[in-house]
Amino acid sequence: MTSSTVPLRNLSSEAAHAAVAAAVAHARGLGIRVNAAAVDVSGVLLAFLRMDGAFLHSGGIAIDKAYTAASFGFPTEGWGPVLEGDATLKAGLPAVPRLVVFGGGVPAYEGAQRVGALGVSGGSAEQDAACARAGLAAIGLAEQAQ
């Protein structure tokens, strides 16, 4: 008989808060002001931190970057090559609500298990991604399955 349930592992709220704090610390070192978000494996917000003076609209973008990375299991900057190979997908997919197709969102993996994601917005896509990766590193998680 097949089981009717599956085990689910999630980023803890404590780790989520530590990760967004580390992402913000990295942003401070870069001289930028960002919003940072951490979500669980289902994309539900666990932690959010807005630096003083960070763009207000970037708050929602950070949350959506984390949501996108949790949803698909790869960094948001990875959408470029996917979209380039398919004109229909390139035209339609970015119109999907909450889907972000530029850098700053990274999934969080513990071993082979996806446990959540981080999203950062306020700098360039590259700076945002670096901040999100700094948040992951601070809590000992990887952005891809190990």
Side-chain angles (χ1 to χ4, degrees):
M1 182 171 149
T2 304
S3 176
S4 298
T5 63
V6 296
L8 184 65
R9 294 186 54 84
N10 269 315
L11 187 63
S12 71
S13 60
E14 183 178 332
H17 284 268
V20 297
V24 163
H26 190 79
R28 194 170 289 114
L30 294 175
I32 59 173
R33 294 174 295 211
V34 301
N35 295 275
V39 300
D40 69 13
V41 72
S42 299
V44 176
L45 185 65
L46 292 173
F48 178 81
L49 188 54
R50 178 178 179 265
M51 294 176 73
D52 295 337
F55 298 120
L56 180 60
H57 200 82
S58 290
I61 295 169
I63 293 168
D64 288 349
K65 286 180 180 184
Y67 182 81
T68 300
S71 297
F72 289 94
F74 62 87
T76 55
E77 76 253 16
W79 280 103
V82 172
L83 297 176
E84 286 304 316
D86 186 327
T88 304
L89 195 60
K90 186 175 184 175
L93 199 59
V96 173
R98 302 197 65 193
L99 182 77
V100 178
V101 297
F102 48 88
V106 294
Y109 283 89
E110 182 178 61
Q113 183 75 43
R114 188 174 347 136
V115 296
L118 299 181
V120 176
S121 183
S124 69
E126 294 78 15
Q127 290 169 323
D128 291 349
C131 293
R133 288 182 173 99
L136 278 186
I139 59 172
L141 296 179
E143 68 179 270
Q144 58 186 343
Q146 304 293 310

